[in-house]
Amino acid sequence: MRKVIFALLVSVLTAPSGLLAATPDVTVPIHQFIDGFNQGDTKSAYAAYSTGAISIVDEFAPHRWLGPHAAQNWAADYDKHAKATGVSDGLVKYGAPTRTEIEGDAAYVIIPTTYLYKERGQPMAEEGQMTFVLHAEAGGWKVQGWTWSGVKPHAAK
């Protein structure tokens, strides 16, 4: 009996972490992050991230944030940039993924996006896409990194 219990314990502990993910839907943490951003809910947005090293690439300086506090550092720099440039009312609209690749406990997802905001009161728009890298963890998929790629901002129609 001890051998059976030991074998079960070993198989659980050595199972690929992707099998531990509570949800097979890799878009859950992506939506959680963007919806949290849109609603100003940083607690929810930060909860979408993995606890390990994070990588973020965005269009405003310093353009790259790395490490376990990359999300918080990006948010602080976003706020500074917004204040300096007169940006307010930032909102990211997103569509269904245009590409999803899942290999074991790693996922790569591209979603179309439009960043809407006001710049010194003028409505602006920027169409683009976000590319996410996710990792399957015990609580589900978590964001390990993302990149924003968009066209030059223009007056919203």
mmCIF file of all heavy atoms in Angstrom, residues 102-126:
data_model
loop_
_atom_site.group_PDB
_atom_site.id
_atom_site.type_symbol
_atom_site.label_atom_id
_atom_site.label_comp_id
_atom_site.label_asym_id
_atom_site.label_seq_id
_atom_site.Cartn_x
_atom_site.Cartn_y
_atom_site.Cartn_z
ATOM 1 N N ILE A 102 -0.333 26.771 -27.872
ATOM 2 C CA ILE A 102 -0.135 26.200 -26.538
ATOM 3 C C ILE A 102 0.759 24.979 -26.676
ATOM 4 O O ILE A 102 0.471 24.075 -27.464
ATOM 5 C CB ILE A 102 -1.477 25.800 -25.889
ATOM 6 C CG1 ILE A 102 -2.376 27.026 -25.734
ATOM 7 C CG2 ILE A 102 -1.233 25.128 -24.542
ATOM 8 C CD1 ILE A 102 -3.778 26.704 -25.270
ATOM 9 N N GLU A 103 1.849 24.994 -25.927
ATOM 10 C CA GLU A 103 2.774 23.865 -25.900
ATOM 11 C C GLU A 103 3.070 23.555 -24.442
ATOM 12 O O GLU A 103 3.823 24.273 -23.793
ATOM 13 C CB GLU A 103 4.054 24.204 -26.654
ATOM 14 C CG GLU A 103 3.826 24.400 -28.141
ATOM 15 C CD GLU A 103 5.102 24.689 -28.896
ATOM 16 O OE1 GLU A 103 6.133 24.042 -28.598
ATOM 17 O OE2 GLU A 103 5.072 25.550 -29.781
ATOM 18 N N GLY A 104 2.432 22.509 -23.933
ATOM 19 C CA GLY A 104 2.634 22.138 -22.536
ATOM 20 C C GLY A 104 2.138 23.221 -21.602
ATOM 21 O O GLY A 104 0.978 23.619 -21.660
ATOM 22 N N ASP A 105 3.041 23.762 -20.792
ATOM 23 C CA ASP A 105 2.645 24.779 -19.818
ATOM 24 C C ASP A 105 2.947 26.199 -20.292
ATOM 25 O O ASP A 105 2.930 27.144 -19.514
ATOM 26 C CB ASP A 105 3.314 24.515 -18.464
ATOM 27 C CG ASP A 105 4.832 24.602 -18.524
ATOM 28 O OD1 ASP A 105 5.398 24.793 -19.618
ATOM 29 O OD2 ASP A 105 5.462 24.480 -17.456
ATOM 30 N N ALA A 106 3.208 26.366 -21.596
ATOM 31 C CA ALA A 106 3.492 27.679 -22.163
ATOM 32 C C ALA A 106 2.466 28.011 -23.249
ATOM 33 O O ALA A 106 2.038 27.134 -24.002
ATOM 34 C CB ALA A 106 4.893 27.703 -22.758
ATOM 35 N N ALA A 107 2.076 29.283 -23.300
ATOM 36 C CA ALA A 107 1.127 29.723 -24.326
ATOM 37 C C ALA A 107 1.569 31.068 -24.906
ATOM 38 O O ALA A 107 2.194 31.884 -24.218
ATOM 39 C CB ALA A 107 -0.274 29.845 -23.735
ATOM 40 N N TYR A 108 1.211 31.269 -26.169
ATOM 41 C CA TYR A 108 1.514 32.477 -26.930
ATOM 42 C C TYR A 108 0.197 32.907 -27.561
ATOM 43 O O TYR A 108 -0.426 32.117 -28.284
ATOM 44 C CB TYR A 108 2.561 32.118 -27.989
ATOM 45 C CG TYR A 108 2.912 33.181 -28.984
ATOM 46 C CD1 TYR A 108 3.908 34.106 -28.705
ATOM 47 C CD2 TYR A 108 2.285 33.239 -30.231
ATOM 48 C CE1 TYR A 108 4.271 35.063 -29.647
ATOM 49 C CE2 TYR A 108 2.639 34.193 -31.170
ATOM 50 C CZ TYR A 108 3.642 35.108 -30.869
ATOM 51 O OH TYR A 108 4.003 36.051 -31.796
ATOM 52 N N VAL A 109 -0.257 34.127 -27.275
ATOM 53 C CA VAL A 109 -1.571 34.571 -27.744
ATOM 54 C C VAL A 109 -1.471 35.988 -28.291
ATOM 55 O O VAL A 109 -0.903 36.884 -27.639
ATOM 56 C CB VAL A 109 -2.615 34.550 -26.594
ATOM 57 C CG1 VAL A 109 -3.982 34.999 -27.093
ATOM 58 C CG2 VAL A 109 -2.694 33.165 -25.959
ATOM 59 N N ILE A 110 -2.031 36.209 -29.482
ATOM 60 C CA ILE A 110 -2.102 37.539 -30.084
ATOM 61 C C ILE A 110 -3.563 37.953 -30.144
ATOM 62 O O ILE A 110 -4.411 37.173 -30.605
ATOM 63 C CB ILE A 110 -1.502 37.556 -31.508
ATOM 64 C CG1 ILE A 110 -0.037 37.119 -31.472
ATOM 65 C CG2 ILE A 110 -1.647 38.939 -32.132
ATOM 66 C CD1 ILE A 110 0.577 36.947 -32.851
ATOM 67 N N ILE A 111 -3.859 39.179 -29.680
ATOM 68 C CA ILE A 111 -5.226 39.691 -29.760
ATOM 69 C C ILE A 111 -5.217 41.076 -30.411
ATOM 70 O O ILE A 111 -4.315 41.881 -30.171
ATOM 71 C CB ILE A 111 -5.918 39.764 -28.374
ATOM 72 C CG1 ILE A 111 -5.192 40.712 -27.441
ATOM 73 C CG2 ILE A 111 -6.058 38.391 -27.756
ATOM 74 C CD1 ILE A 111 -5.979 41.042 -26.191
ATOM 75 N N PRO A 112 -6.221 41.352 -31.248
ATOM 76 C CA PRO A 112 -6.343 42.698 -31.816
ATOM 77 C C PRO A 112 -6.851 43.650 -30.737
ATOM 78 O O PRO A 112 -7.666 43.269 -29.889
ATOM 79 C CB PRO A 112 -7.376 42.509 -32.932
ATOM 80 C CG PRO A 112 -8.192 41.337 -32.503
ATOM 81 C CD PRO A 112 -7.269 40.448 -31.717
ATOM 82 N N THR A 113 -6.349 44.875 -30.770
ATOM 83 C CA THR A 113 -6.720 45.856 -29.754
ATOM 84 C C THR A 113 -6.890 47.233 -30.367
ATOM 85 O O THR A 113 -6.354 47.525 -31.443
ATOM 86 C CB THR A 113 -5.625 45.953 -28.673
ATOM 87 O OG1 THR A 113 -4.373 46.212 -29.317
ATOM 88 C CG2 THR A 113 -5.521 44.688 -27.850
ATOM 89 N N THR A 114 -7.615 48.062 -29.657
ATOM 90 C CA THR A 114 -7.687 49.486 -29.955
ATOM 91 C C THR A 114 -7.581 50.221 -28.632
ATOM 92 O O THR A 114 -8.344 49.954 -27.707
ATOM 93 C CB THR A 114 -9.009 49.868 -30.654
ATOM 94 O OG1 THR A 114 -9.131 49.104 -31.864
ATOM 95 C CG2 THR A 114 -9.036 51.352 -30.994
ATOM 96 N N TYR A 115 -6.602 51.115 -28.540
ATOM 97 C CA TYR A 115 -6.404 51.925 -27.351
ATOM 98 C C TYR A 115 -7.082 53.267 -27.609
ATOM 99 O O TYR A 115 -6.720 53.991 -28.538
ATOM 100 C CB TYR A 115 -4.911 52.090 -27.084
ATOM 101 C CG TYR A 115 -4.551 52.999 -25.943
ATOM 102 C CD1 TYR A 115 -5.185 52.910 -24.707
ATOM 103 C CD2 TYR A 115 -3.542 53.942 -26.087
ATOM 104 C CE1 TYR A 115 -4.830 53.737 -23.659
ATOM 105 C CE2 TYR A 115 -3.172 54.767 -25.042
ATOM 106 C CZ TYR A 115 -3.827 54.667 -23.829
ATOM 107 O OH TYR A 115 -3.471 55.497 -22.789
ATOM 108 N N LEU A 116 -8.101 53.563 -26.830
ATOM 109 C CA LEU A 116 -8.840 54.819 -26.934
ATOM 110 C C LEU A 116 -8.512 55.663 -25.712
ATOM 111 O O LEU A 116 -8.434 55.146 -24.593
ATOM 112 C CB LEU A 116 -10.343 54.544 -26.996
ATOM 113 C CG LEU A 116 -10.806 53.651 -28.148
ATOM 114 C CD1 LEU A 116 -12.261 53.231 -27.941
ATOM 115 C CD2 LEU A 116 -10.630 54.367 -29.467
ATOM 116 N N TYR A 117 -8.331 56.947 -25.925
ATOM 117 C CA TYR A 117 -8.006 57.843 -24.813
ATOM 118 C C TYR A 117 -8.234 59.285 -25.252
ATOM 119 O O TYR A 117 -8.559 59.552 -26.413
ATOM 120 C CB TYR A 117 -6.559 57.635 -24.353
ATOM 121 C CG TYR A 117 -5.514 57.912 -25.415
ATOM 122 C CD1 TYR A 117 -4.851 59.138 -25.463
ATOM 123 C CD2 TYR A 117 -5.193 56.959 -26.362
ATOM 124 C CE1 TYR A 117 -3.887 59.390 -26.440
ATOM 125 C CE2 TYR A 117 -4.238 57.195 -27.329
ATOM 126 C CZ TYR A 117 -3.578 58.418 -27.357
ATOM 127 O OH TYR A 117 -2.642 58.662 -28.318
ATOM 128 N N LYS A 118 -8.056 60.193 -24.324
ATOM 129 C CA LYS A 118 -8.102 61.623 -24.642
ATOM 130 C C LYS A 118 -6.718 62.193 -24.388
ATOM 131 O O LYS A 118 -6.079 61.874 -23.393
ATOM 132 C CB LYS A 118 -9.135 62.341 -23.780
ATOM 133 C CG LYS A 118 -10.550 61.963 -24.125
ATOM 134 C CD LYS A 118 -11.540 62.729 -23.283
ATOM 135 C CE LYS A 118 -12.950 62.267 -23.644
ATOM 136 N NZ LYS A 118 -13.934 62.842 -22.724
ATOM 137 N N GLU A 119 -6.277 63.013 -25.316
ATOM 138 C CA GLU A 119 -5.006 63.713 -25.172
ATOM 139 C C GLU A 119 -5.306 65.192 -25.129
ATOM 140 O O GLU A 119 -5.739 65.762 -26.131
ATOM 141 C CB GLU A 119 -4.058 63.389 -26.323
ATOM 142 C CG GLU A 119 -2.664 63.932 -26.113
ATOM 143 C CD GLU A 119 -1.700 63.454 -27.187
ATOM 144 O OE1 GLU A 119 -1.717 62.256 -27.522
ATOM 145 O OE2 GLU A 119 -0.940 64.297 -27.674
ATOM 146 N N ARG A 120 -5.153 65.763 -23.935
ATOM 147 C CA ARG A 120 -5.525 67.162 -23.695
ATOM 148 C C ARG A 120 -6.960 67.424 -24.140
ATOM 149 O O ARG A 120 -7.259 68.417 -24.768
ATOM 150 C CB ARG A 120 -4.534 68.095 -24.360
ATOM 151 C CG ARG A 120 -3.147 68.002 -23.770
ATOM 152 C CD ARG A 120 -2.149 68.949 -24.407
ATOM 153 N NE ARG A 120 -0.853 68.827 -23.794
ATOM 154 C CZ ARG A 120 0.043 67.880 -24.101
ATOM 155 N NH1 ARG A 120 -0.234 66.999 -25.029
ATOM 156 N NH2 ARG A 120 1.200 67.822 -23.478
ATOM 157 N N GLY A 121 -7.820 66.451 -23.851
ATOM 158 C CA GLY A 121 -9.243 66.572 -24.132
ATOM 159 C C GLY A 121 -9.682 66.093 -25.504
ATOM 160 O O GLY A 121 -10.875 65.933 -25.744
ATOM 161 N N GLN A 122 -8.755 65.867 -26.423
ATOM 162 C CA GLN A 122 -9.100 65.420 -27.777
ATOM 163 C C GLN A 122 -9.140 63.896 -27.824
ATOM 164 O O GLN A 122 -8.161 63.229 -27.465
ATOM 165 C CB GLN A 122 -8.089 65.932 -28.797
ATOM 166 C CG GLN A 122 -8.412 65.466 -30.217
ATOM 167 C CD GLN A 122 -7.381 65.925 -31.242
ATOM 168 O OE1 GLN A 122 -6.457 66.665 -30.942
ATOM 169 N NE2 GLN A 122 -7.541 65.449 -32.468
ATOM 170 N N PRO A 123 -10.249 63.298 -28.305
ATOM 171 C CA PRO A 123 -10.324 61.832 -28.420
ATOM 172 C C PRO A 123 -9.302 61.294 -29.426
ATOM 173 O O PRO A 123 -9.179 61.803 -30.536
ATOM 174 C CB PRO A 123 -11.752 61.585 -28.918
ATOM 175 C CG PRO A 123 -12.505 62.819 -28.556
ATOM 176 C CD PRO A 123 -11.516 63.943 -28.650
ATOM 177 N N MET A 124 -8.571 60.276 -28.981
ATOM 178 C CA MET A 124 -7.531 59.667 -29.806
ATOM 179 C C MET A 124 -7.773 58.161 -29.879
ATOM 180 O O MET A 124 -8.439 57.588 -29.019
ATOM 181 C CB MET A 124 -6.147 59.929 -29.206
ATOM 182 C CG MET A 124 -5.782 61.397 -29.062
ATOM 183 S SD MET A 124 -5.525 62.212 -30.640
ATOM 184 C CE MET A 124 -3.970 61.488 -31.146
ATOM 185 N N ALA A 125 -7.201 57.551 -30.917
ATOM 186 C CA ALA A 125 -7.318 56.106 -31.097
ATOM 187 C C ALA A 125 -5.995 55.559 -31.622
ATOM 188 O O ALA A 125 -5.253 56.262 -32.317
ATOM 189 C CB ALA A 125 -8.434 55.775 -32.080
ATOM 190 N N GLU A 126 -5.743 54.317 -31.267
ATOM 191 C CA GLU A 126 -4.552 53.635 -31.753
ATOM 192 C C GLU A 126 -4.879 52.156 -31.902
ATOM 193 O O GLU A 126 -5.059 51.444 -30.928
ATOM 194 C CB GLU A 126 -3.404 53.826 -30.762
ATOM 195 C CG GLU A 126 -2.113 53.212 -31.208
ATOM 196 C CD GLU A 126 -0.984 53.451 -30.214
ATOM 197 O OE1 GLU A 126 -1.133 54.254 -29.279
ATOM 198 O OE2 GLU A 126 0.040 52.775 -30.372
#
